[in-house]
Amino acid sequence: MLSELAATALLALSLRSIISLNAYSGYNKPPMFGDYEAQRHWQEVTVNLDVKEWYTNGTHNDLQYWGLDYPPLTAYHSYLVGLAAKSHNASFVELHSSRGVESREHKSFMRLTVLVADVLIYLPAIWILSAAIDRTFQSNIKQVLLLLLALYPGQVLIDNGHFQYNNISLGLAAIAIAAILCDKNFLAAFMFTLALNYKQMELYHALPFFSYLLGTTLSHKSFKSFATQLTAIATIVLTVFAILWLPWLHSIDAASQVLHRLFPLGRGVFEDKVANVWCSINVIFKLKKYFLNHQMALICLGTTLITVLPTNIILFWRRSKPMFLLTLFNTSAAFFLFSFQVHEKTILLVALPAICLFQWWPSEMLWFLEVSVFSMIPLLRRDHLLVPSAAATVLFHIVFKSDYFKDNKEQILENKLLNMTIIISEILMIFIVIGFIAIKPSARYPDIWPLIISVVSCAHIFLFLVWGYVKQIMQCNRKLNDKVE
Ligand SMILES: *[C@@H]1O[C@H](CO)[C@@H](O)[C@H](O)[C@H]1NC(C)=O
Ligand SMILES: *[C@@H]1O[C@H](CO)[C@@H](O)[C@H](O)[C@H]1NC(C)=O
């Protein structure tokens, strides 16, 4: 067991190190650069300015230039990394003059900080999650799940390639999911609150946690135990928030400034092409011509609520652990498709629950994971990460598509149909990627390939949402014994 664990960790770190050798977001693209510079700039700001100034515009903190737009836990993390940077080479985080540092030495430092987060948070977290799934469902799948989580190209390409720290928020969320599966509800509330305070996009996962925990506390027989449970969970959540937000709680202005940074309504319904419904509709129906920004925000809110509420209400009434995982998948997919200001990378939040469902629907979920990488291809190409993306995805496909992991039920018609559909879809995606690389778009439609990729991915993700709902409704008719066919 231990040797398997060590082998997986080594494999995971090797893959990440190899991806790290490649380019990152915004390399050599002054004056704004990209996410790499954003992360570095937050280190510069947090190390040099007083904590009260981190989220506010000022002479030393021009928010137009990569102002902090993640919650406090990200800011504290930037501060810690910034301190390390300062002691390593103060020029990395010197106020103003460090903008756009991109020496080899600095790249090694930055890449190393992501690997440190992998070792300290992501890898232990996915080990805990795969053990929890294995124990809860007696599925004997721990090793496969661990490998799947460790080698999923989407997360590696974005964190160790493009440059971000999703490994931290996803790791914290993975532990929270594991805690739910092991009936450690207080721990789940604690871990999830941390995840939410690292990246506000974790809101995509919030409703299923809320429905599940509320349903659990309400199921207590006596009012007294219900009240103590609910109070305990609320206390945990509020205490974590209060501690993390303490520097900005002295005035309403300060707190609302942070909130305003986290939810920048002014930035519009989407920025780059993204595989969601709004970007796809926008192809033929220019949304900006018909709706003001705040109207669009309300439309997003309404459609998101309509698509996420049913799945969470079902979870609330028919609470079970497989149902919880399905609801996480449905809710995050619906948020991705319908909410406001969605980024391509946010698909990683849907990928995490997809991996948790792998034991029941291996072919479907593997397909989803590949679609998720496909949907990020324009972003990865901009970062010059196309070759590592293709290599990592092909490797992933070969490892997990082998017959060993296929369910050995006899090939009923439904399975044949599914396999056919998957093959057709995968061939389509491969051809689109080849077209994207090889065929130069005409001057009239310069964005045609990213657009095709967005629309095709969006159609896939939408069908997956429908699929998730169908599976969930089928699940309702079963006895709640935590068994899924
Ligand atoms: C923020 O501060 C910078 C100078 O640091 C200034 O150029 C910019 O106009 C300010 N922005 C706002 C919105 O006040
Ligand atoms: C510190 O980093 C800068 C920029 O990367 C580099 O030019 C300089 O040589 C480094 N200093 C030392 C002492 O390594």
Side-chain angles (χ1 to χ4, degrees):
M1 188 55 234
L2 207 60
S3 61
E4 282 181 355
L5 201 62
T8 311
L10 275 182
L11 201 58
L13 289 177
S14 312
L15 175 68
R16 282 162 174 73
S17 309
I18 293 170
I19 302 282
S20 292
L21 295 174
N22 291 276
Y24 49 76
S25 153
Y27 175 68
N28 215 352
K29 284 187 192 141
M32 281 305 274
F33 306 94
D35 274 349
Y36 175 93
E37 169 63 7
Q39 297 282 351
R40 192 213 55 77
H41 180 63
W42 299 341
Q43 298 163 19
E44 173 197 334
V45 167
T46 51
V47 163
N48 289 295
L49 302 184
D50 187 69
V51 60
K52 291 200 174 63
E53 300 174 307
W54 289 357
Y55 288 93
T56 36
N57 199 44
T59 37
H60 296 303
N61 189 16
D62 182 2
L63 292 183
Q64 310 273 347
Y65 186 80
W66 299 116
L68 247 176
D69 52 6
Y70 284 130
L73 200 53
T74 288
Y76 299 132
H77 175 233
S78 298
Y79 176 70
L80 286 181
V81 178
L83 287 182
K86 198 171 172 178
S87 76
H88 184 61
N89 179 337
S91 79
F92 289 175
V93 287
E94 207 149 326
L95 197 59
H96 303 308
S97 69
S98 60
R99 282 193 185 183
V101 169
E102 38 183 34
S103 62
R104 240 188 124 81
E105 202 199 352
H106 185 251
K107 181 180 171 189
S108 307
F109 170 79
M110 292 289 274
R111 292 299 202 194
L112 196 64
T113 63
V114 182
L115 286 174
V116 167
D118 281 325
V119 170
L120 293 184
I121 297 181
Y122 189 71
L123 295 180
I126 61 174
W127 180 69
I128 292 171
L129 178 60
S130 43
I133 291 177
D134 188 63
R135 211 184 76 174
T136 311
F137 305 110
Q138 307 282 320
S139 46
N140 212 2
I141 195 169
K142 187 166 160 182
Q143 196 55 39
V144 179
L145 274 181
L146 185 61
L147 261 183
L148 199 63
L149 284 156
L151 302 185
Y152 166 55
Q155 182 267 331
V156 183
L157 289 164
I158 294 299
D159 284 352
N160 308 81
H162 173 86
F163 204 92
Q164 280 197 336
Y165 298 94
N166 295 289
N167 50 5
I168 296 184
S169 51
L170 290 174
L172 295 169
I175 299 176
I177 297 172
I180 290 276
L181 297 180
C182 300
D183 296 311
K184 305 225 180 311
N185 291 347
F186 296 154
L187 180 66
F190 176 70
M191 281 297 167
F192 184 71
T193 314
L194 288 183
L196 189 58
N197 272 290
Y198 194 85
K199 281 201 173 195
Q200 66 273 39
M201 292 80 180
E202 278 295 333
L203 274 175
Y204 291 21
H205 290 151
L207 275 178
F209 277 95
F210 178 78
S211 313
Y212 189 91
L213 290 176
L214 188 67
T216 313
T217 46
L218 280 174
S219 70
H220 284 271
K221 292 280 181 299
S222 76
F223 177 76
K224 202 174 143 205
S225 74
F226 155 69
T228 27
Q229 283 271 322
L230 198 63
T231 316
I233 291 178
T235 310
I236 291 170
V237 173
L238 292 177
T239 311
V240 174
F241 262 100
I243 292 173
L244 293 174
W245 284 64
L246 198 60
W248 301 277
L249 291 182
H250 60 93
S251 79
I252 293 184
D253 271 358
S256 62
Q257 170 62 14
V258 182
L259 270 180
H260 177 73
R261 293 296 306 161
L262 303 189
F263 302 101
L265 283 184
R267 276 162 69 177
V269 59
F270 54 81
E271 287 171 6
D272 284 321
K273 302 265 172 304
V274 55
N276 78 352
V277 167
W278 307 121
C279 190
S280 303
I281 289 180
N282 198 59
V283 175
I284 35 177
F285 182 81
K286 296 291 171 217
L287 293 165
K288 280 212 178 78
K289 265 209 314 223
Y290 297 92
F291 300 109
L292 293 172
N293 200 34
H294 72 274
Q295 290 172 326
M296 202 55 228
L298 283 179
I299 296 174
C300 291
L301 182 68
T303 43
T304 308
L305 284 179
I306 291 170
T307 43
V308 298
L309 283 183
T311 181
N312 283 281
I313 291 171
I314 297 173
L315 172 66
F316 180 79
W317 290 113
R318 292 299 183 108
R319 201 161 17 83
S320 74
K321 285 163 186 170
M323 194 70 108
F324 170 67
L325 298 176
L326 260 174
T327 309
L328 267 182
F329 179 77
N330 290 348
T331 309
S332 47
F335 263 97
F336 180 83
L337 288 172
F338 293 101
S339 65
F340 195 74
Q341 259 283 323
V342 174
H343 291 249
E344 310 94 310
K345 297 150 259 185
T346 327
I347 194 69
L348 298 182
L349 285 151
V350 197
L352 180 65
I355 296 175
C356 298
L357 297 174
F358 177 80
Q359 54 182 320
W360 298 302
W361 297 287
S363 310
E364 289 92 331
M365 291 300 103
L366 204 57
W367 181 24
F368 176 83
L369 294 175
E370 292 175 358
V371 170
S372 74
V373 179
F374 172 74
S375 75
M376 295 188 289
I377 287 283
L379 170 85
L380 294 166
R381 188 184 192 197
R382 235 180 300 139
D383 296 345
H384 303 285
L385 288 168
L386 212 46
V387 174
S389 304
T393 311
V394 170
L395 178 81
F396 183 74
H397 184 91
I398 292 170
V399 170
F400 293 101
K401 204 66 177 189
S402 61
D403 286 338
Y404 175 76
F405 298 116
K406 283 237 182 79
D407 27 9
N408 41 13
K409 276 177 269 168
E410 71 255 33
Q411 287 267 320
I412 46 175
L413 187 65
E414 194 190 335
N415 275 2
K416 272 200 186 132
L417 212 65
L418 175 70
N419 287 337
M420 281 284 285
T421 319
I422 295 179
I423 289 173
I424 292 171
S425 146
E426 285 179 345
I427 290 175
L428 176 71
M429 292 193 282
I430 290 171
F431 272 108
I432 293 175
V433 173
I434 292 174
F436 184 34
I437 300 168
I439 305 175
K440 214 167 148 7
S442 70
R444 218 175 133 209
Y445 303 106
D447 276 343
I448 187 78
W449 289 110
L451 215 55
I452 292 175
I453 292 177
S454 294
V455 173
V456 170
S457 311
C458 175
H460 276 87
I461 299 165
F462 187 81
L463 287 179
F464 270 106
L465 176 61
V466 174
W467 171 89
Y469 259 102
V470 171
K471 291 295 168 192
Q472 199 180 13
I473 290 162
M474 282 163 65
Q475 206 43 38
C476 291
N477 298 327
R478 289 172 207 282
K479 280 217 276 50
L480 292 182
N481 57 359
D482 277 7
K483 286 263 160 46
V484 173
E485 166 103 41

